[in-house]
Amino acid sequence: MQETVISLKGVNKIYKTGDTTITALDSTDLELKKGELTLIMGPSGSGKTTLLSIIGCVIYPTAGEVFFLDRKVTDLKENELAAIRLGQIGFVFQQFNLLEPLNALENVMQPMVLQQLPKAEARQRAKDALEKVGLLDRMYNLPKKLSGGQKQRVAIARALVTNPPIVLCDEPTASLDARSAAVIMEELKALAEEGKAVIIVTHDLRLRKFADRIIYVEEGKVSNTISNEEEYK
Amino acid sequence: MILLAWKFIKFDRSKSIGIVTAIVISIFLIGQQLGLLGFLMGLMGNLVSNANLTDRDIWVIENQTENVNVLNRIDQRYVQEIRSIKGVEQTYPIVIVSCQASFLDGKTAGVNLIGSEAPVFITGPTQDRIFEGRLADLATPEAVSAEFFNASSWKTELFLNKPIELNGKSARIKLITKKAQAFGGDFMYTTIENARFYGNLDPSTVSIVSVRLAPGVDKMEVIERINSLYPKLRAWDVEKLRNSTVKEILISSNMGMSFGTLVVFAMISGFFIIGLTLYSSALDRIKDYGTLKAIGAKKGYVNRLIVTQAFLYAVFGFVIAMLLLLGFQQGVKNSGLFINFSLPFVAFLFGLTLLISIGGSLFAVRKISRLEPASVF
């Protein structure tokens, strides 16, 4: 039985703008486990990103409870959530979100800088992480000097450099060509096989073959959650 | 943090140059204007500053004025009467008269001839302001001083023993002062007799009675005694008289308001230019700040990153502004404009730079502080 890293119990998220109320996520129960690559799929505006943001301890739900490694995080303060994100979650973004003024190495070092690790150690670990994604020779390049695929691999190196148990990816292949997308997905799949919980929000149906589990979100509701085996039956 | 802030500054080169330029212009203008004001304030009080005074000295003038440069004459007999007051060690009459100086080349200038008794020469000039000649040389008939830096405004050459005319009477420059300039009419020092002679002044009047107290005497007590004994006179602690003179001139000439307004506007414009450019720069980098928050940076860290950038901008801007100010100081020194950038003044300017720069960064801090980490998804 694989260990649950995140569980959501009766979670909903409501946004209010003026007189309008939008239920982005409604009564959601969910468990995410280590060693699984989970896809969160659904149409635009379905609540996928809201779900990812709640799983990633980026926003608070309006109601319900979120447990992160058995710790209730919905009662935590903003800075405590930031500490969880820093130490326990690796983020990979659709637009890569590398810090433009920093080179690849400094970008990968940044989470460890935030953790106040000694500079030499942070540097070495960042180099190791870049080597793993095959970009050691580009470590002094600014993001603008890297291709989309290279940027995403730097982003993956940054997400993994602190060795978090969870990797959250928001449309990681959306800005990439098919070949780069396949490389990135292979890398993410390998992470899941190493025992990490890899959660990917995507529209891209081609990614289903990499998933251990697929969660469909529609109109703010987790409408269906199936294993990949069932998907291909 | 400083390294990261530096990287952000370096990356956004054009905005960084804009911010530093705004700081440089603001601080240079403020430093220049305040330096100039300081110099002019020094000139306003130079009648006192040039005098050979101690902390036991009081000046007695008529009670209508609070500006030592604008004096009505008082009776000469007060010099003896005040000397008889308990606690007074000595009194010295001082005469200030306006004259027209004419030079051999036909140039003329309005001057204030300041006469005091030789060999004390209570009105000075002090030794550190004597450029050429000796104070004792003023004790000779027809001897007067001239100010080195007035040569250019008088458009004439100044040298010892140069013959001149004062109100049509022959005189000779026996002493050249330096940094003893006046605010308005220029100073020439001489003996009291010479001053009366050249100024066609009745010997029964003086402009100031300088009073030296005996050691250990309470100055305030003597001042009050003089003021109560002579209602038409007013005794001043010389330092207070200098300050009062400066205040009077600043108010009556609107100079204080004029300099103050310029300084305040330089501050305000600097504050807003820096603030808005930093704000715009923060908006350009909003994705980076959001990413930092999303990957786990605390709000305080991101705020500090912006403030650190503002601090670095302040340091660069201040260093460049100070170099320009020092250049300005050297450039105007030869024309007799001595701007003093004392350590407290430099510290004040740096504090002001930090205030403008870090204060301006608060617009950006406020914006980024509200930025949700979820914004990057």
Side-chain angles (χ1 to χ4, degrees):
Chain A
M1 178 100 177
Q2 284 164 318
E3 188 188 347
T4 300
V5 282
I6 296 172
S7 64
L8 278 63
K9 291 180 182 167
V11 166
N12 68 10
K13 181 70 181 177
I14 297 168
Y15 292 105
K16 284 182 183 170
T17 41
D19 296 334
T20 316
T21 300
I22 298 164
T23 304
L25 205 60
D26 192 16
S27 306
T28 302
D29 295 310
L30 193 64
E31 284 195 346
L32 297 163
K33 295 180 191 303
K34 276 188 178 175
E36 273 188 355
L37 192 151
T38 307
L39 291 189
I40 300 174
M41 303 189 84
S44 293
S46 59
K48 304 188 298 291
T49 302
T50 302
L51 180 60
L52 186 77
S53 300
I54 288 174
I55 292 170
C57 299
V58 173
I59 57 171
Y60 292 95
T62 309
E65 293 174 331
V66 179
F67 291 89
F68 190 98
L69 294 170
D70 292 331
R71 185 180 178 194
K72 190 176 173 187
V73 294
T74 28
D75 295 338
L76 296 181
K77 291 178 182 160
E78 220 172 279
N79 278 347
E80 290 171 314
L81 286 188
I84 288 179
R85 291 199 298 274
L86 180 60
Q88 308 289 337
I89 305 172
F91 288 93
V92 178
F93 304 95
Q94 180 178 351
Q95 295 298 325
F96 324 122
N97 287 41
L98 298 178
L99 302 179
E100 293 287 328
L102 306 187
N103 63 34
L105 182 68
E106 290 160 341
N107 261 288
V108 179
M109 283 171 71
Q110 196 54 41
M112 294 176 288
V113 170
L114 294 174
Q115 286 178 332
Q116 298 179 321
L117 288 189
K119 198 178 168 188
E121 186 189 341
R123 196 179 171 81
Q124 190 52 53
R125 280 173 61 178
K127 278 184 177 178
D128 293 345
L130 280 172
E131 195 171 15
K132 271 187 193 167
V133 296
L135 282 174
L136 194 58
D137 57 332
R138 311 302 296 269
M139 68 179 176
Y140 294 122
N141 283 35
L142 287 176
K144 65 182 174 189
K145 298 278 183 190
L146 298 172
S147 69
Q150 287 171 331
K151 283 182 196 173
Q152 199 60 297
R153 276 149 66 198
V154 173
I156 289 172
R158 180 178 67 185
L160 298 177
V161 75
T162 55
N163 195 26
I166 299 162
V167 180
L168 293 186
C169 310
D170 182 27
E171 304 277 9
T173 57
S175 307
L176 303 178
D177 59 58
R179 193 162 162 268
S180 300
V183 172
I184 295 296
M185 283 311 296
E186 289 295 349
E187 284 172 6
L188 293 172
K189 179 70 184 164
L191 290 175
E193 282 164 4
E194 283 171 24
K196 293 190 188 302
V198 179
I199 298 134
I200 301 172
V201 163
T202 186
H203 280 102
D204 192 344
L205 295 175
R206 293 172 305 171
L207 304 191
R208 285 185 301 184
K209 63 181 177 190
F210 297 98
D212 297 307
R213 191 169 164 218
I214 301 170
I215 296 168
Y216 287 98
V217 186
E218 211 165 346
E219 292 181 352
K221 292 192 175 183
V222 173
S223 59
N224 197 8
T225 158
I226 53 172
S227 71
N228 207 7
E229 285 165 14
E230 292 168 53
E231 170 89 356
Y232 283 100
K233 265 181 192 171
Chain B
M1 175 66 80
I2 287 181
L3 191 65
L4 183 61
W6 170 240
K7 296 256 175 190
F8 271 65
I9 287 174
K10 220 171 69 171
F11 188 76
D12 210 353
R13 206 161 292 169
S14 57
K15 288 219 165 72
S16 299
I17 290 171
I19 293 168
V20 171
T21 305
I23 295 173
V24 169
I25 292 171
S26 275
I27 297 305
F28 178 78
L29 271 179
I30 293 168
Q32 185 205 42
Q33 292 302 308
L34 289 180
L36 204 56
L37 181 64
F39 170 72
L40 292 175
M41 283 165 69
L43 294 190
M44 293 168 198
N46 251 1
L47 189 64
V48 176
S49 305
N50 292 344
N52 286 306
L53 299 172
T54 67
D55 59 359
R56 290 190 284 132
D57 288 307
I58 291 170
W59 276 10
V60 180
I61 58 177
E62 57 84 28
N63 69 357
Q64 303 267 320
T65 182
E66 297 188 339
N67 176 354
V68 75
N69 297 319
V70 187
L71 295 173
N72 291 323
R73 296 208 173 84
I74 56 178
D75 198 307
Q76 154 81 29
R77 283 171 295 186
Y78 288 126
V79 179
Q80 286 75 38
E81 284 185 33
I82 293 170
R83 194 177 295 161
S84 67
I85 291 174
K86 189 184 166 194
V88 173
E89 185 180 272
Q90 187 58 274
T91 54
Y92 306 96
I94 297 169
V95 161
I96 302 168
V97 289
S98 297
C99 287
Q100 175 159 298
S102 307
F103 304 98
L104 295 179
D105 50 13
K107 305 274 170 34
T108 59
V111 297
N112 285 320
L113 203 53
I114 300 160
S116 59
E117 286 179 339
V120 176
F121 289 106
I122 194 76
T123 52
T126 51
Q127 196 56 43
D128 61 319
R129 295 183 185 201
I130 295 173
F131 178 61
E132 272 185 273
R134 294 176 307 128
L135 191 59
D137 294 340
L138 286 181
T140 55
E142 300 188 348
V144 293
S145 75
E147 168 61 31
F148 175 86
F149 289 112
N150 286 343
S152 58
S153 59
W154 291 346
K155 295 185 176 61
T156 190
E157 201 185 341
L158 292 179
F159 50 85
L160 290 180
N161 292 315
K162 175 172 180 154
I164 61 167
E165 281 187 1
L166 290 171
N167 284 349
K169 297 169 191 172
S170 132
R172 205 167 273 274
I173 295 171
K174 287 285 187 179
L175 183 80
I176 296 177
T177 58
K178 200 168 186 181
K179 296 191 188 179
Q181 302 110 299
F183 183 77
D186 304 315
F187 290 153
M188 278 186 158
Y189 288 92
T190 186
T191 60
I192 195 162
E193 296 80 11
N194 284 349
R196 282 183 171 136
F197 168 70
Y198 290 117
N200 302 317
L201 187 67
D202 184 341
S204 64
T205 60
V206 294
S207 305
I208 303 168
V209 180
S210 183
V211 179
R212 178 151 299 166
L213 305 181
V217 171
D218 183 350
K219 195 189 272 186
M220 283 315 295
E221 209 173 279
V222 178
I223 287 173
E224 280 168 18
R225 200 172 302 148
I226 293 170
N227 288 342
S228 64
L229 281 171
Y230 308 104
K232 289 184 178 174
L233 303 183
R234 183 162 175 193
W236 289 82
D237 178 305
V238 283
E239 205 51 50
K240 284 184 181 162
L241 181 58
R242 175 172 39 202
N243 295 341
S244 166
T245 299
V246 171
K247 189 177 154 196
E248 278 285 302
I249 297 174
L250 287 179
I251 293 170
S252 62
S253 64
N254 271 330
M255 215 190 267
M257 180 68 85
S258 167
F259 275 93
T261 309
L262 205 142
V263 167
V264 168
F265 274 93
M267 276 174 68
I268 292 174
S269 56
F271 179 81
F272 280 103
I273 293 170
I274 293 159
L276 294 178
T277 316
L278 259 171
Y279 183 80
S280 157
S281 170
L283 287 186
D284 288 348
R285 301 258 65 79
I286 200 159
K287 193 173 145 195
D288 290 332
Y289 294 121
T291 302
L292 275 171
K293 284 189 171 185
I295 66 172
K298 292 177 181 165
K299 196 188 272 185
Y301 180 89
V302 179
N303 291 348
R304 279 202 306 280
L305 177 59
I306 297 169
V307 172
T308 305
Q309 288 176 65
F311 174 78
L312 290 177
Y313 284 130
V315 171
F316 299 140
F318 175 75
V319 168
I320 296 170
M322 266 324 291
L323 288 174
L324 289 175
L325 283 171
L326 290 174
F328 173 73
Q329 183 191 40
Q330 292 304 311
V332 296
K333 198 170 76 174
N334 292 335
S335 60
L337 213 161
F338 292 94
I339 294 180
N340 179 24
F341 294 123
S342 63
L343 200 60
F345 181 66
V346 172
F348 164 76
L349 276 185
F350 185 59
L352 202 62
T353 316
L354 287 179
L355 182 77
I356 292 174
S357 187
I358 293 176
S361 76
L362 296 181
F363 295 109
V365 167
R366 193 161 174 264
K367 174 75 181 172
I368 299 301
S369 191
R370 291 175 174 179
L371 177 69
E372 292 289 339
S375 64
V376 294
F377 288 110

